[in-house]
Amino acid sequence: MYSNTLTSQFNFRTSDNTFDTLLEIATNRYADLCINDIYILLSECIKDCAKKTKIIDMVSAQKLKKHHNTLQAIIPQYHTSKCVDDCAYCGFRKSNPNVLRTELNDEDFERELKLILDWGYSVIEFVYSTDTNFPAKRIAKRITKAKQMGKSIGKELEIGINAPALSLDDYKILNDAGLDFVLLWMETYSDNYKKWHQNNTPKSDFNYRINTFDRSIQAGIKKYAFAILFGLSDWVEDVSRLIAHGLYIRKTYDIEPYIIGNPRLKRAMGLSVENSKYIIDDENYIFVNYLFKLIFPETKLFINTREEIDINLELIKGGGDFFTIDCGTFPGVYLNSELVKDGQEQFHTSYYNREKTIALLQEKGYKVIF
């Protein structure tokens, strides 16, 4: 029902608008910004550093005025490394014979969650691979349990799930359990999606995946998070299509993205990805994140530990974003760091020492809310 309407937003068309006109349109929530406008705006800025700087400075000033350098801490909790998908860039891919396959059982889930709460967190991302042992009803029980554990210590938790694309009925189950937001990284909007997701696995069905937020919103979950994985395809086209996707949801449901993620392709067990011809350089990567903020000013970036701290400091000017400090991409890693001593994690991440990172952020003028 939604596929034709949505994918029609991804067809590049001609546009005669100048850069200044496009910039004005981009800052107007009710303007008719088309994908070709976005593409031209991107292309103009790539060629002209002064135009990038203009957007970055403008957005940073707006964020500072609204958020006063305040950041919200967020932490992922992985529940399984078992997966029936075979995404070529992921350490958990089905065809990887070397990764440890395990799941966080109910007892360890509660033990690890208690530890996360003791650290002070109140926004938690539950992360699931495509594991048939975790249907919606089981995930719902964990959401309910987490909310109960939070309330028992006077904390109102905000729970999101980063999980496979689910059905409308599944999202209704999760909504009833109190799920706050749905995260789903689109990876790439190009035909390269087929190359990276082969073998007729659940995730290989892009049409089903792209309509996920239509289903979750109709189920009552009004907050959504999406992203591309920089490095899988031409990033200028992917960024344009990601923004067009968000504009479609704005126009259809009057809902802004809650979070936009910004992961870049990183090495994973048995994979060398550094030579991808689609890797985005640091300067354009930083700029694109401010373009997201320009067009979706109410949206938070999901600052992640795939990046070194110096890059992330460039992304958060003015505040208003989610910031990841503690990050383990394997089930139970916060309980036992030895689980990932042999590179078992889903992908490579940088280690941020909690105390030193918070001190550094404070030194830079930021306030981190847990």
Side-chain angles (χ1 to χ4, degrees), residues 3-164:
S3 182
N4 290 336
T5 304
L6 176 52
T7 54
S8 68
Q9 311 292 314
F10 299 155
N11 297 323
F12 290 100
R13 321 192 278 276
T14 59
S15 174
D16 297 323
N17 289 320
T18 65
F19 172 80
D20 288 336
T21 301
L22 291 174
L23 190 56
E24 184 177 347
I25 294 171
T27 58
N28 183 349
R29 186 178 187 274
Y30 300 100
D32 186 18
L33 188 67
C34 74
I35 191 168
N36 213 62
D37 293 331
I38 303 161
Y39 187 85
I40 292 171
L41 191 60
L42 264 170
S43 301
E44 287 284 320
C45 290
I46 291 168
K47 294 183 293 186
D48 189 339
C49 288
K51 290 176 179 176
K52 290 181 197 172
T53 302
K54 180 177 182 178
I55 288 176
I56 291 172
D57 289 348
M58 180 172 66
V59 172
S60 299
Q62 291 170 349
K63 290 293 182 180
L64 181 61
K65 184 177 180 180
K66 182 172 183 177
H67 298 288
H68 308 288
N69 278 344
T70 299
L71 303 166
Q72 173 74 60
I74 187 171
I75 186 170
Q77 185 190 35
Y78 275 64
H79 291 202
T80 179
S81 63
K82 302 173 183 177
C83 195
V84 300
D85 286 322
D86 206 26
C87 311
Y89 47 80
C90 180
F92 290 172
R93 65 195 182 281
K94 177 177 66 176
S95 59
N96 185 356
N98 299 313
V99 72
L100 176 64
R101 305 294 180 176
T102 186
E103 68 177 52
L104 201 60
N105 63 35
D106 291 343
E107 179 182 354
D108 285 341
F109 160 67
E110 292 183 28
R111 287 177 57 225
E112 187 171 71
L113 184 60
K114 182 180 183 303
L115 179 63
I116 289 170
L117 297 180
D118 288 344
W119 287 343
Y121 286 95
S122 59
V123 183
I124 306 169
E125 172 200 19
F126 289 176
V127 185
Y128 298 90
S129 52
T130 307
D131 181 352
T132 55
N133 289 330
F134 280 94
K137 288 184 179 179
R138 186 179 182 192
I139 297 172
K141 288 180 180 178
R142 293 200 168 181
I143 294 168
T144 300
K145 184 63 180 179
K147 296 275 186 168
Q148 291 170 347
M149 290 176 66
K151 285 182 179 179
S152 71
I153 58 171
K155 194 180 284 283
E156 194 73 34
L157 299 188
E158 186 175 359
I159 304 294
I161 62 161
N162 195 333

Side-chain angles (χ1 to χ4, degrees), residues 140-279:
K141 288 180 180 178
R142 293 200 168 181
I143 294 168
T144 300
K145 184 63 180 179
K147 296 275 186 168
Q148 291 170 347
M149 290 176 66
K151 285 182 179 179
S152 71
I153 58 171
K155 194 180 284 283
E156 194 73 34
L157 299 188
E158 186 175 359
I159 304 294
I161 62 161
N162 195 333
L166 300 174
S167 69
L168 175 63
D169 287 342
D170 285 339
Y171 285 123
K172 287 179 179 178
I173 291 170
L174 298 177
N175 182 57
D176 290 343
L179 181 67
D180 295 289
F181 59 98
V182 171
L183 303 97
L184 192 80
W185 296 167
M186 302 311 301
E187 318 298 11
T188 177
Y189 289 85
S190 80
D191 286 342
N192 276 359
Y193 189 90
K194 300 171 186 175
K195 181 186 83 171
W196 292 101
H197 308 90
Q198 298 182 8
N199 302 328
N200 197 31
T201 62
K203 192 170 175 179
S204 66
D205 187 347
F206 182 74
N207 284 334
Y208 187 72
R209 188 174 187 82
I210 204 172
N211 293 317
T212 296
F213 303 126
D214 293 285
R215 297 191 296 275
S216 64
I217 290 169
Q218 290 167 16
I221 306 166
K222 303 303 183 185
K223 294 180 179 179
Y224 78 94
F226 65 164
I228 56 168
L229 177 53
F230 289 93
L232 301 186
S233 297
D234 181 298
W235 63 265
V236 179
E237 293 188 6
D238 262 348
V239 167
S240 300
R241 288 177 170 134
L242 180 80
I243 292 172
H245 191 173
L247 295 174
Y248 156 81
I249 294 175
R250 171 191 285 175
K251 187 174 182 179
T252 306
Y253 302 104
D254 196 27
I255 292 175
E256 299 293 288
Y258 183 47
I259 302 170
I260 295 181
N262 49 21
R264 285 198 280 189
L265 190 63
K266 299 290 181 178
R267 66 182 182 274
M269 179 181 281
L271 294 176
S272 177
V273 300
E274 288 82 358
N275 294 326
S276 169
K277 65 180 180 179
Y278 301 115
I279 296 294

